[in-house]
């Protein structure tokens, strides 16, 4: 029962994170391109602030639930007198998940701070450059997230 709950929580956190990146990259960003830089960047900053807060929680939930599920399976195998050999797919998912968290950390704690400072100062060219960097790294993380999902369902 606990494993099933962990798996549901894990998948829901992944859906929020990867789905949110897809929404932002393919739907939100193109929709606001017609807005003036000050309006567009202020709006994107507000959206990113909320989204990155949710992803901070989701990424921690994904890490903790993933490690907990691996630990439960390993513990049950050992208690049954079996050797635990983590499946390659789990190793790939865990490794890429850690890479995604590291990229998220860079986005949240470096690039978003740069965007925030520029928006607060009304420096729209710098804000635009920071947003472009965020967009690039979000796309990289989105691609990695899609690979993780493909590995999970394969």
């Amino acid at each position: 029962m606990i494993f099933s709950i962990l798996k549901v929580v894990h998948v829901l956190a992944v859906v929020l994170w990867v789905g949110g990146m897809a929404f932002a990259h393919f739907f939100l960003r193109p929709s606001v391109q017609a807005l003036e830089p000050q309006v567009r960047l202020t709006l994107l900053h507000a959206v990113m602030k909320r989204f990155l807060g949710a992803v901070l929680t989701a990424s921690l939930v994904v890490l903790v639930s993933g490690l907990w599920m691996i630990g439960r399976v390993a513990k049950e195998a050992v208690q049954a007198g079996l050797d635990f050999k983590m499946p390659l797919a789990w190793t790939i998912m865990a490794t890429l998940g850690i890479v995604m968290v590291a990229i998220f950390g860079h986005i949240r704690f470096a690039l978003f701070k740069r965007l925030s400072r520029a928006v607060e100062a009304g420096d729209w060219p710098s804000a635009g450059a920071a947003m472009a960097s965020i967009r690039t790294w979000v796309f990289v993380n989105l691609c990695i997230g899609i690979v993780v999902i493909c590995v999970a369902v394969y």
Side-chain angles (χ1 to χ4, degrees):
M1 177 72 166
I2 288 178
F3 190 87
S4 296
I5 292 169
L6 287 171
K7 194 170 186 179
V8 167
V9 168
H10 187 83
V11 169
L12 289 174
V14 169
V15 167
L16 182 139
W17 188 0
V18 177
M21 290 188 296
F23 171 78
H25 193 78
F26 294 113
F27 301 100
L28 178 62
R29 187 185 63 83
S31 297
V32 300
Q33 287 302 105
L35 299 174
E36 293 296 320
Q38 179 179 356
V39 175
R40 178 179 68 247
L41 292 164
T42 301
L43 172 65
L44 290 173
H45 177 263
V47 170
M48 292 296 295
K49 184 176 182 179
R50 287 177 177 85
F51 178 64
L52 293 176
V55 172
L56 180 59
T57 301
S59 66
L60 294 174
V61 166
V62 169
L63 281 176
V64 169
S65 61
L67 290 172
W68 197 340
M69 286 187 289
I70 291 168
R72 281 190 62 84
V73 171
K75 181 181 174 184
E76 289 172 5
V78 168
Q79 286 176 339
L82 304 170
D83 287 334
F84 173 71
K85 294 186 181 182
M86 193 157 92
L88 178 60
W90 292 11
T91 303
I92 292 169
M93 285 188 288
T95 302
L96 292 179
I98 291 167
V99 170
M100 287 181 70
V101 170
I103 291 171
F104 167 74
H106 176 64
I107 292 168
R108 173 61 188 90
F109 299 109
L111 300 178
F112 184 70
K113 282 189 178 183
R114 193 176 308 157
L115 174 65
S116 295
R117 284 192 299 268
V119 167
E120 288 170 13
D123 182 356
W124 306 118
S126 294
M131 195 65 228
S133 293
I134 289 170
R135 180 176 60 246
T136 298
W137 284 108
V138 165
F139 184 70
V140 169
N141 241 8
L142 175 59
C143 292
I144 296 170
I146 291 168
V147 168
V148 170
I149 290 168
C150 291
V151 168
V153 299
Y154 180 68

